[in-house]
């Protein structure tokens, strides 16, 4: 883990109860972000289709009420960033200041978002193989015979199980998604936010480091390790993909 990485939450600054709510918020937002890939299209009905897939989540994300307030903490600005991202991807307006390097045509909001280092590193998170200590992709984990604990929802896959276990227990938070959104959003001067890319080399390295740290938190959870086994060790990269 990079020392003083701004995209890794400082656990020492929050209480145990605050940390639990922050982990729960992370789990919820990571669920929404994973489905934003549906918007990587020119389909004008893409946002409607996404809303039909997860109506409550997209409705609350779009009206600025998605994140819970941890005790004695205010997530209003965080919610406004999420709301702004939903609006930008729904409206998909053109940004004249961002141009395709080949055609010089202005980019749309979706094109900007999906070309961001934020998005690219989130893709790495959902694949799950960049954590060097355990590079198995989430989709390649195998279930053991142990039952899923009653206190978490029945997961669809290994990542779902890992996130549910992370949300209900543990000592580390991992990603500071509020700060991570600052790499793709900036104040619009009117109390809201608009897209603005920070696609620098250093930013990419910090995002990558934070994502790998989060993957490690999920994969090193003792209960997760009892429920899911990594695929057979010893395969080279050509065999893994």
């Amino acid at each position: 883990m990079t020392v003083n990485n701004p995209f890794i939450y400082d656990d020492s600054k929050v209480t145990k109860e605050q940390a639990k709510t922050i982990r729960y918020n992370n789990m919820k937002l990571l669920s929404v972000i994973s489905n934003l890939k549906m918007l990587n299209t020119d389909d004008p009905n893409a946002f409607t289709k996404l809303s039909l897939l997860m109506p409550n989540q997209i409705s609350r994300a779009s009206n600025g009420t998605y994140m819970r307030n941890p005790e004695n903490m205010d997530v209003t600005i965080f919610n406004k960033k999420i709301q702004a991202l939903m609006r930008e991807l729904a409206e998909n307006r053109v940004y004249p200041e961002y141009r395709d390097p080949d055609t010089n045509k202005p980019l749309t909001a979706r094109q900007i978002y999906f070309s961001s280092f934020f998005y690219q590193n989130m893709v790495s998170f959902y694949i799950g193989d960049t954590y060097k200590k355990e590079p198995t992709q989430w989709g390649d984990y195998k279930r053991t015979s142990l039952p899923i604990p009653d206190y978490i929802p029945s997961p669809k896959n290994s990542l779902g199980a890992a996130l549910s276990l992370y949300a209900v227990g543990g000592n580390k938070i991992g990603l500071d998604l509020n700060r991570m959104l600052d790499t793709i959003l900036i104040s619009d001067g009117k109390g809201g936010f608009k897209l603005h890319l920070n696609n620098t080399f250093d930013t990419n390295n910090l995002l990558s480091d934070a994502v790998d740290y989060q993957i490690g938190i999920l994969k090193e959870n003792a209960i997760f390790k009892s429920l899911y086994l990594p695929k057979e060790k010893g395969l080279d990269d050509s065999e893994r993909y």
Side-chain angles (χ1 to χ4, degrees):
M1 179 181 68
T2 300
V3 176
N4 297 324
N5 187 323
F7 306 128
I8 295 176
Y9 212 102
D10 187 347
D11 302 281
S12 68
K13 293 185 176 180
V14 294
T15 67
K16 183 177 180 180
E17 286 304 312
Q18 288 172 331
K20 184 175 181 179
T21 304
I22 294 166
R23 290 196 306 271
Y24 177 78
N25 282 343
N26 274 3
M27 177 190 69
K28 291 205 316 174
L29 185 52
L30 288 167
S31 174
V32 167
I33 292 173
S34 72
N35 285 284
L36 294 182
K37 62 181 179 292
M38 289 180 59
L39 303 179
N40 194 7
T41 172
D42 293 327
D43 182 357
N45 298 314
F47 193 80
T48 299
K49 293 176 181 177
L50 175 62
S51 299
L52 290 172
L53 176 67
M54 44 193 325
N56 183 57
Q57 295 95 320
I58 297 302
S59 174
R60 293 194 61 185
S62 299
N63 66 24
T65 62
Y66 196 56
M67 298 287 96
R68 290 182 180 178
N69 280 311
E71 184 179 12
N72 298 319
M73 297 177 71
D74 186 358
V75 294
T76 300
I77 299 301
F78 193 4
N79 272 321
K80 284 187 175 182
K81 293 176 187 177
I82 297 168
Q83 181 182 35
L85 180 60
M86 293 298 105
R87 184 188 65 247
E88 292 285 358
L89 295 178
E91 296 177 355
N92 198 29
R93 66 189 177 99
V94 172
Y95 274 77
E97 61 267 41
Y98 291 100
R99 300 270 172 173
D100 184 301
D102 294 322
T103 66
N104 200 38
K105 292 182 178 180
L107 299 180
T108 65
R110 293 178 190 173
Q111 289 174 319
I112 294 169
Y113 174 75
F114 289 109
S115 67
S116 70
F117 283 151
F118 172 87
Y119 174 73
Q120 299 303 327
N121 280 286
M122 293 314 302
V123 169
S124 294
F125 171 78
Y126 297 115
I127 294 173
D129 62 353
T130 54
Y131 178 55
K132 293 181 177 60
K133 186 176 178 180
E134 178 42 73
T136 300
Q137 296 185 14
W138 293 114
D140 289 331
Y141 275 89
K142 304 300 181 184
R143 274 282 285 119
T144 68
S145 60
L146 292 178
I148 298 293
D150 292 337
Y151 54 83
I152 67 169
S154 181
K156 295 180 180 179
N157 49 45
S158 63
L159 177 55
L163 284 171
S164 293
L165 290 166
Y166 157 82
V168 300
N171 298 317
K172 298 177 181 178
I173 294 172
L175 296 178
D176 189 332
L177 288 168
N178 184 27
R179 288 192 174 187
M180 288 176 67
L181 286 176
D182 290 337
T183 67
I184 55 171
L185 294 166
I186 193 172
S187 171
D188 63 3
K190 303 174 184 178
F193 295 86
K194 62 181 180 179
L195 289 180
H196 179 80
L197 281 187
N198 178 358
N199 264 9
T200 65
F201 183 84
D202 287 343
T203 295
N204 190 37
N205 283 341
L206 290 168
L207 288 169
S208 176
D209 191 45
V211 163
D212 286 354
Y213 181 66
Q214 181 71 73
I215 294 172
I217 291 174
L218 301 185
K219 290 188 175 184
E220 296 300 333
N221 181 287
I223 300 176
F224 174 78
K225 292 171 76 171
S226 73
L227 295 172
Y228 289 88
L229 295 177
K231 63 189 294 187
E232 185 178 356
K233 302 285 187 178
L235 302 181
D236 62 28
D237 283 346
S238 66
E239 294 175 295
R240 287 174 51 233
Y241 296 94

